[in-house]
Amino acid sequence: MLNIHIGYLTAILIIFSILSLWFASKTKTLEGFFGGQSSKGIQPNILTLTFSQVTTWIFARSLLNTVTLGYLFGIAGVIAYSAYYGSFLTGWLIVNKLRQQHGVPNIQTFIYEQFGRTGTVCYNLLISLRLLTEVFANLLVIGIIFGTVGSPSYISSIIIVTAVTLFYSMNGGLRASLKTDIFQTIIIIVSISTLFIAMMIHPMFNFHSILNSSSDFNNPGWILLIVAFLQVLSYPMHDPVMMDRGFIADIKTTKKSFLYAFILSFILIFCFGLLGVFSKTVSNENISVLAALQELLGTPMMFIVAITLIVSAASTMDSTFSSASKLIVIDILKNKASISKGRLAMLFFAIAGLILVLFGNNDLYDAVAISGTISLTLTPVIIFNLLGQRRVASWSFIANFIVSVAGAILYFLEKSGHVKIIGMIFGEVHNYNKLLIITLFIIISGLVFFILGLKRK
């Protein structure tokens, strides 16, 4: 919990809610609700699409992750987490290949053409899990800002944010999400820039200490960087929010939006993560990163941190709801699409996310690791089917999906201490070493499955 008066936090929430409801507008067409077009059928422009990409990836969970990694592992942790934003570059590679060479309107069509109905079911399960973890993880951050786990302020803040974002998302769909993303991104840019400047002019700031905060080669942050490089190819393909935005504008606009979003997002997430590194180099106490920042920057700056986290959480929530509605109505049900069905899908994901955060596991990082590890299912798909344009047997994809799910579950069990299979084989190692071992195993086994399943040209 941030050490800020609950009344101030509530004021932030109220102001944000009013702004979001004012910017969002009701959408009456399927093209607007699911495709983001204006009432006149105009596609999103470059600014809208870029800012929407940025705010959907600079979310509360990512901000809390990068500042925590900076605090725990120094600049190596920040570099490692920032490396995941290379997903915008690999994401554009995937989108461009899908649209230009394969001529498909979405990933589901491509997966169906390659692996049939079973493959599509596996893929939809994967991205459904991704969407669910987005709702869960961002709501969890909101709750942490307002109070201790289970407290009245914790629960009420989660419910309020869910209700507000769900209301205007159900009202306007993807079009409303795109419109609100503009002002939300501006707030995030201004907030992070202010915090970065405050850190730079702080009398205790030392650039040399920042650079030398991860001098040990065995630092877990460097291990995570290797994992990031291994996962960054498949990571964007399992993110329906990013992929949805790859199909709603012309090729030229889409390409620029991915490139600009990469540059802007990388800078923002890296700068915010440096706040954690700064805290690590100065604080000698065994306290949380937010508590350390509170001591260094004071309440006014932590007020800005709260604004950043609240806005980023809500901005991701509305994008998640719009992608969830498209997934269920357009990509899965396909026929007889309607806005009412899209709204029901949003409601389902909102309720499921609330149940997880209020009654489930409150570990923020477990949700991240599970979906990211399962995304390795798609690595050989991108290499063989998308880039290599080869046909592979369906069993190869399904087998790799099963191995990826098993790997994600194993990492969860290893991290939580329920099993020590990796420890028995490799000895006691850090969790990120375990993640690297599992990642390598999944990638290698996936490549073997696909080589064995290759069909003749």
Side-chain angles (χ1 to χ4, degrees):
M1 178 182 178
L2 294 178
N3 188 23
I4 301 175
H5 193 279
I6 193 67
Y8 295 133
L9 293 174
T10 305
I12 297 173
L13 198 54
I14 292 173
I15 294 171
F16 171 78
S17 301
I18 294 172
L19 284 173
S20 297
L21 294 172
W22 183 69
F23 273 93
S25 58
K26 188 173 184 178
T27 302
K28 299 180 180 179
T29 64
L30 291 175
E31 294 77 13
F33 195 87
F34 296 108
Q37 293 183 6
S38 68
S39 57
K40 297 180 180 179
I42 301 174
Q43 68 175 25
N45 59 34
I46 182 67
L47 179 67
T48 300
L49 202 54
T50 300
F51 275 21
S52 183
Q53 293 271 38
V54 170
T55 193
T56 53
W57 267 59
I58 301 292
F59 39 86
R61 185 195 76 192
S62 65
L63 291 171
L64 198 56
N65 280 350
T66 188
V67 77
T68 303
L69 288 172
Y71 186 64
L72 294 176
F73 309 123
I75 197 168
V78 180
I79 293 173
Y81 199 82
S82 301
Y84 276 100
Y85 285 75
S87 295
F88 279 112
L89 302 180
T90 53
W92 162 245
L93 173 67
I94 293 167
V95 167
N96 187 53
K97 290 291 183 180
L98 288 170
R99 293 180 62 171
Q100 299 279 64
Q101 293 187 3
H102 296 272
V104 294
N106 55 26
I107 296 177
Q108 280 83 356
T109 303
F110 173 75
I111 296 294
Y112 181 80
E113 290 176 353
Q114 302 293 323
F115 307 109
R117 182 176 177 81
T118 304
T120 308
V121 170
C122 292
Y123 177 74
N124 286 333
L125 284 173
L126 168 60
I127 62 175
S128 296
L129 176 63
R130 167 72 177 183
L131 289 169
L132 202 55
T133 56
E134 288 302 297
V135 177
F136 158 75
N138 284 282
L139 286 179
L140 180 58
V141 174
I142 290 292
I144 293 172
I145 293 171
F146 279 82
T148 55
V149 176
S151 66
S153 57
Y154 173 90
I155 295 173
S156 59
S157 63
I158 288 173
I159 293 174
I160 291 171
V161 169
T162 304
V164 171
T165 54
L166 181 62
F167 177 78
Y168 73 76
S169 296
M170 292 176 72
N171 199 39
L174 181 56
R175 183 62 188 172
S177 176
L178 291 171
K179 292 179 70 175
T180 55
D181 284 346
I182 296 174
F183 92 87
Q184 291 164 353
T185 303
I186 292 172
I187 292 175
I188 291 171
I189 292 172
V190 172
S191 299
I192 293 179
S193 299
T194 303
L195 291 167
F196 182 74
I197 293 171
M199 177 189 70
M200 294 290 289
I201 63 175
H202 195 283
M204 298 181 72
F205 179 79
N206 186 302
F207 189 69
H208 182 74
S209 298
I210 297 288
L211 291 178
N212 288 278
S213 58
S214 304
S215 55
D216 184 3
F217 183 74
N218 293 322
N219 187 305
W222 299 124
I223 303 299
L224 182 61
L225 179 60
I226 299 173
V227 174
F229 284 138
L230 292 172
Q231 293 187 353
V232 77
L233 180 62
S234 63
Y235 208 85
M237 199 172 182
H238 99 297
D239 183 359
V241 175
M242 177 188 284
M243 290 294 99
D244 285 348
R245 282 154 178 75
F247 292 89
I248 60 177
D250 62 78
I251 286 288
K252 186 178 180 181
T253 300
T254 304
K255 179 181 180 180
K256 288 182 178 179
S257 72
F258 272 80
L259 176 60
Y260 297 158
F262 162 68
I263 296 171
L264 187 53
S265 297
F266 184 91
I267 293 172
L268 290 173
I269 203 72
F270 186 80
C271 289
F272 195 83
L274 287 181
L275 293 171
V277 184
F278 174 48
S279 302
K280 171 187 173 68
T281 59
V282 175
S283 178
N284 295 317
E285 300 180 41
N286 187 22
I287 55 179
S288 69
V289 60
L290 294 180
L293 281 175
Q294 179 88 39
E295 291 183 359
L296 285 172
L297 301 179
T299 299
M301 288 298 105
M302 292 308 292
F303 187 73
I304 296 177
V305 170
I307 292 174
T308 309
L309 293 175
I310 291 172
V311 172
S312 60
S315 67
T316 304
M317 291 278 290
D318 61 45
S319 298
T320 302
F321 289 145
S322 62
S323 288
S325 68
K326 177 182 175 292
L327 169 65
I328 300 299
V329 178
I330 303 297
D331 299 329
I332 295 179
L333 298 180
K334 297 180 181 179
N335 299 322
K336 298 180 180 179
S338 68
I339 292 177
S340 60
K341 291 179 182 177
R343 289 169 177 160
L344 285 175
M346 290 180 179
L347 181 62
F348 169 78
F349 273 83
I351 293 174
L354 278 173
I355 292 172
L356 280 177
V357 76
L358 295 178
F359 302 104
N361 189 325
N362 287 317
D363 192 331
L364 181 68
Y365 305 98
D366 290 343
V368 180
I370 289 175
S371 69
T373 306
I374 300 177
S375 76
L376 294 169
T377 298
L378 302 167
T379 300
V381 176
I382 296 169
I383 295 172
F384 286 87
N385 301 81
L386 187 64
L387 301 179
Q389 297 189 33
R390 297 294 303 273
R391 298 304 297 267
V392 181
S394 298
W395 71 261
S396 301
F397 179 80
I398 297 167
N400 194 37
F401 176 77
I402 294 171
V403 171
S404 300
V405 172
I409 294 173
L410 175 61
Y411 179 69
F412 171 79
L413 295 175
E414 286 275 355
K415 186 174 182 296
S416 55
H418 295 301
V419 299
K420 294 185 178 180
I421 298 175
I422 295 178
M424 292 171 58
I425 301 173
F426 296 94
E428 288 298 322
V429 292
H430 190 272
N431 285 327
Y432 288 152
N433 294 77
K434 296 177 181 179
L435 182 58
L436 176 59
I437 292 168
I438 292 171
T439 297
L440 286 170
F441 180 81
I442 294 173
I443 290 176
I444 293 171
S445 62
L447 294 176
V448 171
F449 288 145
F450 273 59
I451 290 172
L452 294 175
L454 268 178
K455 296 181 179 180
R456 293 183 178 180
K457 287 188 178 180

